[in-house]
Amino acid sequence: MESLYNSFGDKPFVGFWRFRKPGLVIKDPEVVKTILFQDFKNFHQNGFRVDPHLDPLVHKNPFMIAGEEWKTTRQTLTPSFTNSKLKPLLPLMEEVAAELVQYLRTNCHTCGPDGFEAKDLSSKYTMEMVATCAFGIKGESFKNPNAKLREMTMQVVRPGFIKNIEFMIIQFLPSLAALLKIRLMPKEVDEFFRSIVRDVLADREKKNTTRNDYIQNLIYLKKKAEETGGSYTEEDITGHAVTFMTDGFETSSITMGFIMHHLSQNPHIQEAMWKEVKKAREENQGQLPFEVLMELPLLDQVIHETLRLHPPLMALEKVCTTPTTLRASDGTEVHAPRGLLCVVPLRGLHKDPRFFHDPERFDPDRFSPGRKSDIPKCTYLGFGGGPRQCLGMRFALQQIKLGLASIVENFVIKTTPRTPKVIEQDPTYFLACAKDGLWVRFEERKTAG
Ligand code: HEM
């Protein structure tokens, strides 16, 4: 998609064919605005769908559904991602951040000259975050490289060659997928997640306990539905907890991995981050309260600049559901028929020199209060945009900021002989991923604490 984007200069649209179906790559931010915001109702459907009978848990994911079903689900889940629900998660998250620091302390001297693969390291942290915050369990990711939760999740988010082909059949030849009964989530994984949720519900019921986590919010939704004659089932709880895992775990670990890579190459930015976190702690009696953590400006800029260079979801795919005339800023018009696939190429837009000067350079200052407003609207969309913008954005920012703050307070991230000079995309993977890994090492900060 990126080469298609780059091959057509300043043209606002590029047409393409996929399995005999026409598609349109959008290169003009005005048209992106039309699709994501102004005429959202005509493009409310994502280009990904699964069969609700074959993949009932995946079908609960707001990303996979459309129309009224999406609207109701999104409205039901949105309150769980407000600050008032995220703030109580902080103590649980701090336990995981402490585990990460401990893990690095124990292993940073013995990990060998190549250091750690940053994405793999981050995935232990984000897996543990989702385990405790969404499911209310321990994932054992730091202790056991073959932990069951990780292994099961990987089967869905990191498929191998055969799974990739099955995935393509599900997306592009859905009737064949139905005929062959090909599912995105293997039966064994489906049953594993159902059993986790069943055990957590039974345990809380038996002990009559509650916990400040996401699954508790879902339990309240079920109780409320029972009291008011509505419908919210155990399968809904499981599906929505699984959504947290499938959408939140890998995207966040990809982002953290790339951040560590860039920090290893930019010691001055790392130093400035350390000073920012240190000052915030000093001003808050040694604590990093939720409101303070979420507002640390440099941490925020570093995350967004990393997402600009490496958006985990490299493109958004939206289906036109009502014929619409798309008008570009140079006056070109395209009449989008029903069913047309419109691709918003996040990576292409994010690296377009028309919108970002010296686009390959890692420069978090682009997102500073003084310069942020220079970024043209709808050219930076790391978390997407419009009514379907990432539901878990604030949770993602919270966990990444806490992880980064904990790392820079205690360690200095350095390059290793294996740190890549140029990052090549892994062609077998549908999310952003460095083909040869991102290698970094950690030196304990002498002035820690
Ligand atoms: C750095 C981490 C993350 C990134 C970069 C990211 C990015 C995105 C993007 C680009 C979209 C598509 C938005 C659109 O269509 O306009 C999306 C959707 C979504 N994300 Fe995230 N995401 C992240 C973390 C999370 C987390 C932690 C969750 C946890 C629940 C989550 C849940 C979702 C859901 C449910 C949707 C579908 C929303 C809808 O269609 O209504 N994401 N995300």
Side-chain angles (χ1 to χ4, degrees):
M1 214 40 87
E2 212 179 346
S3 63
L4 207 57
Y5 184 98
N6 291 330
S7 308
F8 289 85
D10 289 355
K11 294 271 182 284
F13 304 100
V14 181
F16 68 95
W17 291 91
R18 186 190 274 166
F19 288 98
R20 298 182 27 215
K21 278 197 177 163
L24 201 61
V25 178
I26 313 297
K27 294 188 60 177
D28 184 305
E30 271 307 306
V31 183
V32 174
K33 206 192 311 173
T34 305
I35 290 175
L36 297 185
F37 293 87
Q38 283 158 357
D39 282 342
F40 169 75
K41 62 180 190 324
N42 300 353
F43 298 90
H44 66 272
Q45 189 181 312
N46 281 336
F48 303 92
R49 308 212 78 174
V50 289
D51 186 321
H53 304 293
L54 287 172
D55 267 310
L57 294 183
V58 184
H59 183 73
K60 300 282 176 203
N61 190 332
F63 192 78
M64 298 290 177
I65 50 183
E68 277 307 306
E69 194 180 9
W70 165 76
K71 209 166 164 185
T72 316
T73 306
R74 177 102 193 184
Q75 274 167 0
T76 309
L77 296 179
T78 296
S80 295
F81 292 92
T82 53
N83 283 355
S84 65
K85 293 284 191 220
L86 294 178
K87 188 175 169 175
L89 289 178
L90 192 57
L92 298 178
M93 291 180 150
E94 282 168 343
E95 286 176 24
V96 180
E99 261 194 272
L100 169 67
V101 170
Q102 192 49 51
Y103 177 83
L104 285 174
R105 282 228 168 91
T106 313
N107 294 289
C108 70
H109 304 291
T110 53
C111 63
D114 290 342
F116 297 84
E117 202 291 299
K119 153 79 195 325
D120 180 67
L121 172 69
S122 307
S123 74
K124 294 185 198 308
Y125 172 77
T126 57
M127 170 64 67
E128 222 38 48
M129 279 292 185
V130 180
T132 187
C133 295
F135 286 91
I137 59 168
K138 289 255 174 237
E140 307 293 339
S141 314
F142 288 109
K143 296 188 185 99
N144 177 5
N146 304 314
K148 183 107 183 187
L149 185 63
R150 187 181 161 91
E151 187 213 315
M152 289 289 157
T153 305
M154 283 306 189
Q155 286 198 39
V156 185
V157 299
R158 194 78 224 246
F161 179 69
I162 301 284
K163 265 273 154 209
N164 274 342
I165 292 176
E166 288 183 349
F167 180 73
M168 284 171 74
I169 296 175
I170 291 169
Q171 293 317 316
F172 308 128
L173 302 166
S175 36
L176 180 62
L179 195 71
L180 299 176
K181 297 205 180 334
I182 299 175
R183 44 193 296 172
L184 203 60
M185 179 177 281
K187 189 104 191 93
E188 182 199 1
V189 181
D190 177 290
E191 274 162 12
F192 172 75
F193 281 121
R194 283 177 200 267
S195 75
I196 290 185
V197 170
R198 206 176 304 127
D199 290 350
V200 171
L201 297 192
D203 187 59
R204 290 192 190 178
E205 178 92 40
K206 193 169 134 211
K207 296 186 184 145
N208 198 16
T209 51
T210 59
R211 188 171 179 261
N212 273 331
D213 55 21
Y214 184 66
I215 200 164
Q216 193 64 47
N217 299 338
L218 303 178
I219 294 171
Y220 288 138
L221 286 176
K222 184 165 175 282
K223 287 210 168 116
K224 203 168 133 206
E226 280 161 5
E227 283 160 21
T228 56
S231 158
Y232 195 83
T233 62
E234 190 174 306
E235 184 169 87
D236 289 316
I237 296 183
T238 314
H240 293 145
V242 166
T243 293
F244 212 117
M245 183 61 91
T246 50
D247 295 16
F249 149 70
E250 185 81 336
T251 44
S252 298
S253 64
I254 288 171
T255 309
M256 277 187 79
F258 279 115
I259 293 175
M260 288 181 202
H261 169 79
H262 285 294
L263 291 183
S264 74
Q265 300 191 316
N266 289 278
H268 62 292
I269 296 178
Q270 221 180 127
E271 212 54 18
M273 279 168 72
W274 170 62
K275 285 187 182 148
E276 179 175 275
V277 176
K278 194 164 158 270
K279 183 160 174 273
R281 266 208 203 280
E282 282 164 8
E283 288 171 358
N284 291 280
Q285 296 78 47
Q287 304 295 312
L288 271 184
F290 175 79
E291 296 76 6
V292 175
L293 176 74
M294 294 302 270
E295 293 301 323
L296 291 174
L298 185 55
L299 255 70
D300 202 62
Q301 289 166 222
V302 164
I303 296 173
H304 288 294
E305 175 64 348
T306 305
L307 285 174
R308 182 188 69 79
L309 283 168
H310 314 281
L313 205 61
M314 293 182 277
L316 306 178
E317 300 204 348
K318 306 288 174 185
V319 178
C320 176
T321 52
T322 306
T324 310
T325 300
L326 297 172
R327 217 163 276 112
S329 40
D330 68 356
T332 313
E333 283 189 357
V334 165
H335 300 285
R338 214 177 125 83
L340 183 76
L341 182 68
C342 294
V343 177
V344 180
L346 302 189
R347 212 161 117 127
L349 289 164
H350 289 184
K351 292 190 178 201
D352 192 326
R354 293 179 297 165
F355 314 129
F356 296 95
H357 173 68
D358 199 0
E360 293 296 335
R361 194 160 80 86
F362 179 73
D363 176 15
D365 193 56
R366 292 179 211 271
F367 289 89
S368 62
R371 286 178 61 198
K372 210 169 152 179
S373 55
D374 296 345
I375 301 174
K377 205 164 171 14
C378 286
T379 58
Y380 166 67
L381 295 159
F383 287 102
R388 263 188 185 264
Q389 189 185 43
C390 176
L391 181 63
M393 179 174 78
R394 275 187 266 192
F395 176 87
L397 291 172
Q398 186 181 359
Q399 67 171 345
I400 296 174
K401 284 178 183 179
L402 181 63
L404 287 181
S406 309
I407 289 175
V408 296
E409 274 189 301
N410 293 286
F411 303 94
V412 179
I413 312 173
K414 302 229 162 164
T415 55
T416 83
R418 211 171 157 184
T419 303
K421 300 269 179 302
V422 179
I423 297 171
E424 259 187 77
Q425 169 64 27
D426 179 345
T428 64
Y429 197 31
F430 69 101
L431 295 175
C433 180
K435 190 166 153 251
D436 300 314
L438 299 165
W439 295 85
V440 293
R441 67 190 173 88
F442 295 82
E443 256 178 39
E444 285 198 72
R445 202 177 264 287
K446 294 189 182 61
T447 44

